């Protein structure tokens, strides 16, 4: 078998991106080995919830993406290996989270069961859906297994990928060679917490006041507190809204730019500029100065909803490196293929997307390329794509940002690319965006606001039609 033939594939991560990848690889009926390594005890990835929120581990400020692998917490009260039950990792999932994507857009194309749930499904419903969706590939998953290193290794006349894993329950270390590796481990591990003037001294004087949304679970701990929330992404606005039900008013929401209101009435909130300075404890008590000069003092809690770095400590041997600043994954073609070694591919790096269907489009391309039915451009052309992307969107966080409906174009381009594959009775293909779905995608903020305006009755809403929406615009996809 030639060095360029891919038969054995490792998938790092058993969340939605990893499960989708496995299904598309299996459908090719080409690969001899498909192993999924998942450090948690179940599928679902970031949708797994626990009360475990070790905010004391947060470095303030946090500006370095190069962090070691996370260590789990064990549920067992004893510390001996034999009595451990299963590992828990801190995820950004919080107790009352509801999806910010309507169920009919969020679901996988071949499983409509999510549409039986609330229009914006709660975290429990989404997790149950994902666990069911993984059932037919569960036999491929090695749970409670952490990948700690992936590197090139000579195997006769060929170089392959040595994947090093650790069984978290027994501590046993294993190594195995693969022809290709899919990185589907997500990018919600290392919080971004900016180095704002005065933050170090402020944190030392008032330990525990500053935290990050990764460690937010419930609003209860904010009762009667004066709270500042930094960031106006979906999580920032949602967390602010939840905290406002028990905290003092207003909740001070520091934001760079105005975002659509999809939470309903926000009389409890006061929009503020960016934080310019943490005022010295010698000059004021728990005080912040904002970019427009306003000052808020007696701050009891400060929650940074400022996102996450891309961080893959198990890929530290790759040259050139895929993580430098942590603001993007470097040296990728189409957000997927590692240009210097395209037998490593990434699924799930773009953000501000409809995730499940985007990951399926990526997986369809990877499966066809690695089975030999679809080609890749030369390295010069792939590098030119990355350079063009940087010229258009910058080399920072906007590189993987597919907002403003770019995810529609991207997904449909992935399908067009996959359709160029040599025909086969095998394979799996997700559909392109429909006219109705594209129209609904554009109006998600309006749909979410109408949903929120229903109050507690919102949980009974199953469709956009119940909220008065009718998406029959036949012109939406003409630009795509």
């Amino acid at each position: 078998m030639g060095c360029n033939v891919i038969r054995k594939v490792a998938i790092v991560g058993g969340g939605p991106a990893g499960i989708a990848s496995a299904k598309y690889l299996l459908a090719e009926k080409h690969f001899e080995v498909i192993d999924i390594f998942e450090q948690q005890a179940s599928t679902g990835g970031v949708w797994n919830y626990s009360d475990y929120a070790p905010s004391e581990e947060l470095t303030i400020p946090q500006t370095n993406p190069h962090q070691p692998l996370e260590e789990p917490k064990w549920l067992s009260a004893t510390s001996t290996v034999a009595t451990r039950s299963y590992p828990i990792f801190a995820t950004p999932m919080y107790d009352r989270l509801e999806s910010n994507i309507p169920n009919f857009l969020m679901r996988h194309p071949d499983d409509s069961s999510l549409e039986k749930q609330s229009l914006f499904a709660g975290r429990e419903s989404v997790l149950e859906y994902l666990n069911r969706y993984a059932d037919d590939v569960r036999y491929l998953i090695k749970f409670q297994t952490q990948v700690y290193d992936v590197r090139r290794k000579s195997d006769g006349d060929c170089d392959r990928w040595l994947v090093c894993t650790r069984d978290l329950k027994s501590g046993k270390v294993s190594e195995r060679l693969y022809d290709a590796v899919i990185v589907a481990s997500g990018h919600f591990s290392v919080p971004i917490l900016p180095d704002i003037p005065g933050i170090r001294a402020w944190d030392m004087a008032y330990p525990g006041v500053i935290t990050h949304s990764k460690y937010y679970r419930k609003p209860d701990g904010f009762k009667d507190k004066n709270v500042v929330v930094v960031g106006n992404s979906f999580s920032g606005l949602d967390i602010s809204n939840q905290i406002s039900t028990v905290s003092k008013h207003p909740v001070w929401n520091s934001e760079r730019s105005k975002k659509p209101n999809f939470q309903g009435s926000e009389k409890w909130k006061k929009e503020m500029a960016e934080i310019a300075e943490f005022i010295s404890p010698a000059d004021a008590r728990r005080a912040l100065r904002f970019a427009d000069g306003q000052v808020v003092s007696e701050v009891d809690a400060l929650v940074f909803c400022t996102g996450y770095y891309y961080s893959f400590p198990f890929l530290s041997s790759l040259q050139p490196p895929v993580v430098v600043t942590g603001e993007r994954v470097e040296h990728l073609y189409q957000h997927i293929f590692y240009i210097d070694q395209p037998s490593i591919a990434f699924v799930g790096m773009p953000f501000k997307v409809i995730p499940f269907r985007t990951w399926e489009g990526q997986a369809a391309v990877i499966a066809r390329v690695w089975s030999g039915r679809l080609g890749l451009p030369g390295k010069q052309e792939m590098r030119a794509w990355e350079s063009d992307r940087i010229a258009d969107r910058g080399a920072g966080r906007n590189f993987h940002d597919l907002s403003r409906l770019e995810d529609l174009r991207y997904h449909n381009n992935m399908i067009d690319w996959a359709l160029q594959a040599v025909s086969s009775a095998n394979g799996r293909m997700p559909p392109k965006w429909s006219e109705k779905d594209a129209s609904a995608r554009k109006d998600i903020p309006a749909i979410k606001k109408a949903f929120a305006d229903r109050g507690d009755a919102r949980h009974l809403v199953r469709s956009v039609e119940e909220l008065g929406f009718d998406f029959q615009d036949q012109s939406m996809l003409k630009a795509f």
Side-chain angles (χ1 to χ4, degrees):
M1 186 167 63
C3 293
N4 295 325
V5 176
I6 294 175
R7 295 286 185 182
K8 299 178 180 179
V9 181
I11 301 174
V12 184
I19 297 303
S21 299
K23 292 194 177 198
Y24 280 80
L25 292 175
L26 280 172
E28 290 294 305
K29 301 187 185 304
H30 167 87
F31 303 99
E32 298 170 358
V33 175
I34 302 170
D35 288 332
I36 306 172
F37 298 103
E38 171 53 55
Q39 65 182 5
Q40 300 189 85
S42 62
T43 56
V46 75
W47 287 91
N48 280 288
Y49 170 83
S50 79
D51 288 330
Y52 180 50
S55 58
E56 69 278 0
E57 296 178 3
L58 179 64
T59 300
I60 300 174
Q62 174 60 274
T63 59
N64 180 11
H66 304 286
Q67 301 297 319
L69 289 167
E70 288 187 281
E71 293 291 331
K73 174 188 177 182
W74 292 90
L75 272 190
S76 174
T78 61
S79 59
T80 59
V81 171
T83 58
R84 290 176 176 175
S85 51
Y86 60 89
I88 297 177
F89 291 85
T91 75
M93 190 57 50
Y94 48 93
D95 183 43
R96 301 180 191 174
L97 183 139
E98 296 173 355
S99 170
N100 60 334
I101 302 170
N103 53 26
F104 67 98
L105 295 182
M106 187 177 194
R107 72 175 183 87
H108 288 283
D110 60 340
D111 185 353
S112 63
S113 62
L114 191 62
E115 293 188 47
K116 298 176 182 177
Q117 305 301 323
S118 176
L119 180 61
F120 291 90
R123 62 168 180 83
E124 300 98 329
S125 298
V126 176
L127 181 60
E128 290 174 7
Y129 175 80
L130 292 173
N131 284 333
R132 287 195 306 271
Y133 194 73
D135 280 345
D136 58 346
V137 296
R138 196 173 299 277
Y139 70 99
L140 301 174
I141 306 174
K142 302 181 188 306
F143 288 108
Q144 303 181 60
T145 303
Q146 190 174 63
V147 175
Y148 68 86
D149 192 29
V150 175
R151 62 180 58 243
R152 293 297 272 176
K153 184 175 182 181
S154 235
D155 180 26
D157 295 331
C158 302
D159 283 343
R160 305 202 188 281
W161 294 105
L162 181 68
V163 177
C164 306
T165 63
R166 180 180 295 106
D167 184 310
L168 293 174
K169 198 159 189 176
S170 69
K172 181 182 177 182
V173 170
S174 301
E175 297 180 350
R176 186 169 184 179
L177 288 169
Y178 294 88
D179 302 314
V181 177
I182 291 178
V183 180
S185 53
H187 46 90
F188 299 100
S189 293
V190 180
I192 297 173
L193 210 158
D195 189 3
I196 300 170
I199 192 171
R200 288 179 173 84
W202 207 89
D203 179 58
M204 289 182 66
Y206 313 121
V209 173
I210 298 174
T211 189
H212 188 275
S213 58
K214 179 179 180 178
Y215 306 107
Y216 171 79
R217 293 294 178 267
K218 300 175 182 179
D220 308 32
F222 297 88
K223 184 174 176 57
D224 298 327
K225 289 186 176 181
N226 187 25
V227 182
V228 176
V229 176
V230 180
N232 65 345
S233 63
F234 167 76
S235 62
L237 295 176
D238 192 40
I239 288 171
S240 294
N241 182 49
Q242 292 190 14
I243 288 174
S244 74
T245 62
V246 298
S247 70
K248 292 180 178 177
H249 288 182
V251 173
W252 311 92
N253 207 156
S254 171
E255 51 193 42
R256 289 183 179 179
S257 58
K258 178 73 175 173
K259 293 286 180 67
N261 169 23
F262 48 76
Q263 294 289 349
S265 174
E266 293 183 338
K267 295 178 181 178
W268 47 265
K269 166 184 164 183
K270 182 170 176 58
E271 295 176 356
M272 305 294 287
E274 291 183 75
I275 297 175
E277 178 190 6
F278 285 77
I279 298 175
S280 170
D283 298 328
R285 182 172 170 79
R286 299 197 307 275
L288 308 171
R289 179 174 288 108
F290 295 84
D292 59 2
Q294 292 190 73
V295 172
V296 173
S297 58
E298 299 291 343
V299 173
D300 299 309
L302 176 55
V303 185
F304 278 89
C305 302
T306 41
Y308 300 82
Y309 288 112
Y310 292 91
S311 181
F312 308 102
F314 54 89
L315 297 178
S316 59
S317 70
L318 291 187
Q319 291 298 326
V322 291
V323 173
V324 179
T325 66
E327 292 188 313
R328 70 180 180 98
V329 187
E330 316 230 349
H331 310 291
L332 293 193
Y333 176 63
Q334 293 288 351
H335 308 283
I336 302 173
F337 292 100
Y338 179 53
I339 295 170
D340 289 79
Q341 297 285 350
S343 53
I344 277 197
F346 293 74
V347 176
M349 299 306 104
F351 62 97
K352 295 185 181 177
V353 301
I354 305 298
F356 301 165
R357 65 173 71 193
T358 303
W359 309 162
E360 288 204 32
Q362 292 182 317
V365 168
I366 293 169
R368 286 161 172 76
V369 168
W370 286 356
S371 67
R373 295 203 291 128
L374 184 64
L376 281 173
K379 290 185 180 179
Q380 184 175 352
E381 184 176 338
M382 289 195 285
R383 289 194 177 100
W385 179 88
E386 184 185 31
S387 297
D388 290 345
R389 181 76 182 173
I390 291 171
D392 182 44
R393 302 303 296 273
R397 289 194 62 77
N398 287 340
F399 184 90
H400 295 301
D401 181 346
L402 300 188
S403 59
R404 297 181 293 278
L405 305 185
E406 188 181 354
D407 62 326
L408 275 71
R409 294 188 291 271
Y410 178 77
H411 177 76
N412 286 353
N413 287 342
M414 291 299 102
I415 305 309
D416 287 339
W417 187 11
L419 287 170
Q420 297 173 23
V422 174
S423 62
S424 169
N426 302 322
R428 182 184 179 108
M429 182 70 77
K432 285 188 172 184
W433 279 83
S434 69
E435 300 280 358
K436 175 185 174 181
D437 287 358
S439 295
R441 170 75 176 95
K442 177 176 68 71
D443 284 339
I444 285 178
I447 299 171
K448 182 69 172 178
K449 184 178 184 304
F451 180 80
D453 286 344
R454 292 289 183 97
D456 290 342
R458 70 188 184 278
H459 301 298
L460 302 175
V461 177
R462 297 290 183 269
S463 69
V464 291
E465 288 77 13
E466 294 175 58
L467 297 176
F469 292 88
D470 181 18
F471 297 107
Q472 301 298 331
D473 185 352
Q474 298 299 305
S475 64
M476 267 300 299
L477 286 179
K478 290 181 180 179
F480 308 119

